[in-house]
Amino acid sequence: MWTSSRTRLRRLEAAWHQPAARSSHPSLVARYYDHVQHEPAYQRLPDQTWADLNGDLLFGRLDATVSPVGQQCLYHRLRSPLADAAPLHAFDAAAALLAQDPVARGHALLALDQLTADEAYYLTDLVSGEPLPALPGARFAPGLALGLLATLLGGFWLPVLWVGTLALALTNAVFHLWQRQRINNCVRPLLQLGRLRRAGQALQRAALPLRALPPLAAPLARLRALMWQVAFFQVEDNLLVLELLKMLLLLDVLLYGRCRVAVQQQAPAIRTVFEAVGYVDCALAVASFRQRHATCVPHFGPAAEGIQLQGGYHPLVPGCVPNDLTLAGPGVLLTGSNMAGKTTFMRTLGVNALLAQTVATCPATAYRAPFCRVLTSLSLADSLPTGKSYYLVEAETMRELLAACDAAPGSYLLLLDELFKGTNTQERIAANQAVLAYLQPRSWVVAATHDGELGALLPSCYVEYHFCETVTADDWYFDFRLKAGPLTTRNAIRLLARLHYPAQVVAAAQALSATLATRAHPTRPGERRSVADSTKQEEHALG
């Protein structure tokens, strides 16, 4: 049904200001990234890091795109951090323009609204330069079509040839019906190519001052001839005359063969238009994100200045408490009570670094850092299909991180949560100390741990920060504020009491904890007294 441009624009503006949750098609959204991820790039975010940073949820929060092409380009952008300030500054300028100029935004929204069908997800099949699937037996189609025409015309001189015409007509009809469904599946992306071209033309006519649009003129012109061929697949004939000709002369099969060659030849032009349209859609989505969240534009400096995060928060955590961190020289050891916010803070730092180098937008007050590749080990699990234990998965993951830092020292931000917790305490602490000491000169490291001993074992290359809780007589609460220095209180047994474990269980745990604390050798001045004080506080809180 026809809808006026003004009505469409009101609908699109409303969706841009407050995008609705969209049904997820992860495999379709990732198709473009899957096609190009093996091409050279500064980094392709590994699956483990993408999962640790809740990448799919983060993509959903950013996804205010209009078209499937924009969705695919946004997903690709988020998983392909850059190390070049120029394209990031250009993208920031594009997002700022579309956020501040309603006229420019309106032109972009209306242009992209032509490309909303789900079939547009399959346009990625045309950008790789690989030929479309071949039809089985297609090489016989020219001979069958010419044979039918030859016997038909020759029958006027030798009527017996019309018997061959009937036989070939039947053969061609069967061959056409056999190939029809295959052709329909194969031309699905071709049928969206016209819409992609029209969207590109509309953006070019709007003359938006965006970096991706000026190079569009030549590719759009090269696609014109291909569009005429593709249009034939969309022609419908109510009298069925054209359908009969397609069947007898195998026109669909013959034209599909020509389109296969043309698509392969024009793949660079198709990709240029695809990426330009996706670029504008991504800029619209980021402009919408900036309208809905407090953000800043990142600044990229030399490695000597380190990573400086001010007022950083996680956009997926409602009411997230902002925190500051300067990571320069020494790495950071994070200690803290359970549920105090260590892992969320590391994810916050990772998300800011990722968004800075992909969409030039940080959920923070200020962000300044060198270009760096983000790698994480935050939420590992054992692998039942491969029979790998939790510890083996940990060990293999850390081996890959060590190899990466050896290959490109000084270019990684590593976020590590409780390394080697799949083994015993003594060996865990020893392995942690060795690995963290090895990594610190080669990368930026933020590591969370419950082993307070590590701070004393790594005093020269790591500084300590912690999160903690506030305990009252009736309850406890977390302020989620990052604080300098090591943690000196404990909450694990207190949590058992708050969950109404039997008093005998809690008392026995408290007694053994106090005994173990007394036997332990202090690893820093005053530590024994701090642990004893903590135990007294626990007993007082339990009444």
Side-chain angles (χ1 to χ4, degrees), residues 321-455:
V321 175
N323 277 293
D324 303 341
L325 178 69
T326 297
L327 186 59
V332 168
L333 277 180
L334 278 180
T335 53
S337 307
N338 298 306
M339 305 179 294
K342 301 186 302 296
T343 306
T344 298
F345 176 72
M346 287 194 293
R347 287 193 171 105
T348 296
L349 180 58
V351 165
N352 272 273
L354 176 63
L355 295 183
Q357 293 179 218
T358 54
V359 295
T361 303
C362 293
T365 303
Y367 177 87
R368 183 178 182 85
F371 290 108
C372 56
R373 301 170 174 90
V374 181
L375 291 178
T376 64
S377 175
L378 302 179
S379 55
L380 300 179
D382 56 0
S383 176
L384 291 177
T386 60
K388 294 181 180 179
S389 68
Y390 183 88
Y391 178 73
L392 182 56
V393 172
E394 283 187 302
E396 290 182 343
T397 300
M398 287 310 304
R399 181 190 61 193
E400 293 172 2
L401 297 189
L402 291 169
C405 292
D406 281 338
S411 68
Y412 284 93
L413 169 62
L414 303 184
L415 306 174
L416 313 173
D417 191 12
E418 298 185 51
L419 296 183
F420 305 117
K421 60 184 175 185
T423 189
N424 62 80
T425 302
Q426 180 178 335
E427 291 186 306
R428 178 179 68 246
I429 293 173
N432 265 285
Q433 190 277 338
V435 167
L436 293 176
Y438 185 87
L439 287 174
Q440 188 273 331
R442 295 167 172 81
S443 55
W444 309 97
V445 184
V446 178
T449 181
H450 283 293
D451 297 317
E453 297 88 342
L454 282 174

Side-chain angles (χ1 to χ4, degrees), residues 156-181:
F156 289 102
W157 288 272
L158 189 62
V160 71
L161 292 178
W162 282 336
V163 176
T165 302
L166 292 176
L168 285 170
L170 180 61
T171 301
N172 289 3
V174 171
F175 190 77
H176 168 81
L177 295 174
W178 180 51
Q179 298 285 15
R180 183 168 58 180
Q181 187 56 49

Side-chain angles (χ1 to χ4, degrees), residues 277-297:
V277 170
Y279 182 94
V280 176
D281 213 350
C282 287
L284 277 170
V286 171
S288 172
F289 181 81
R290 291 178 176 183
Q291 296 287 311
R292 293 176 282 121
H293 297 271
T295 63
C296 70
V297 177

Side-chain angles (χ1 to χ4, degrees), residues 101-295:
D101 187 341
V103 175
R105 184 169 66 246
H107 286 307
L109 289 169
L110 289 172
L112 293 165
D113 193 41
Q114 304 178 69
L115 195 60
T116 57
D118 285 348
E119 285 77 8
Y121 285 116
Y122 299 95
L123 281 165
T124 52
D125 296 342
L126 309 180
V127 304
S128 63
E130 295 295 323
L132 293 173
L135 300 176
R139 66 181 182 277
F140 301 116
L144 292 172
L146 288 173
L148 186 142
L149 288 173
T151 55
L152 178 64
L153 295 175
F156 289 102
W157 288 272
L158 189 62
V160 71
L161 292 178
W162 282 336
V163 176
T165 302
L166 292 176
L168 285 170
L170 180 61
T171 301
N172 289 3
V174 171
F175 190 77
H176 168 81
L177 295 174
W178 180 51
Q179 298 285 15
R180 183 168 58 180
Q181 187 56 49
R182 290 189 181 89
I183 292 174
N184 288 341
N185 291 336
C186 293
V187 302
R188 181 164 49 178
L190 287 175
L191 300 181
Q192 292 297 311
L193 197 54
R195 293 180 178 272
L196 176 68
R197 182 171 178 269
R198 287 196 293 275
Q201 286 177 317
L203 291 172
Q204 190 187 38
R205 285 196 300 270
L208 303 177
L210 304 183
R211 177 178 181 173
L213 297 183
L216 273 183
L220 288 171
R222 285 198 294 272
L223 294 183
R224 185 181 299 112
L226 181 57
M227 291 302 95
W228 283 106
Q229 298 179 39
V230 172
F232 180 78
F233 293 107
Q234 299 173 291
V235 175
E236 295 183 0
D237 177 19
N238 293 332
L239 299 177
L240 301 181
V241 175
L242 182 59
E243 185 61 30
L244 183 61
L245 289 175
K246 288 181 179 181
M247 180 182 297
L248 296 178
L249 299 178
L250 302 177
L251 298 180
D252 280 356
V253 178
L254 295 172
L255 186 60
Y256 177 73
R258 291 177 59 86
C259 285
R260 287 185 71 234
V261 175
V263 165
Q264 194 169 10
Q265 292 173 341
Q266 300 300 336
I270 296 172
R271 181 167 180 174
T272 299
V273 178
F274 181 97
E275 291 178 346
V277 170
Y279 182 94
V280 176
D281 213 350
C282 287
L284 277 170
V286 171
S288 172
F289 181 81
R290 291 178 176 183
Q291 296 287 311
R292 293 176 282 121
H293 297 271
T295 63

Side-chain angles (χ1 to χ4, degrees), residues 39 65 82 183 212 258 283 286 289 294 460 482 494 526 539 541:
E39 296 177 358
T65 57
L82 303 175
I183 292 174
R258 291 177 59 86
V286 171
F289 181 81
S460 62
L482 182 66
R494 276 184 273 181
E539 293 172 349

Side-chain angles (χ1 to χ4, degrees), residues 28-29 31-32 68-76 120-121 124 274:
L28 296 177
V29 169
R31 282 176 66 87
Y32 177 57
V69 171
Q71 276 190 303
Q72 291 174 326
C73 288
L74 179 62
Y75 182 90
H76 168 262
Y121 285 116
T124 52
F274 181 97

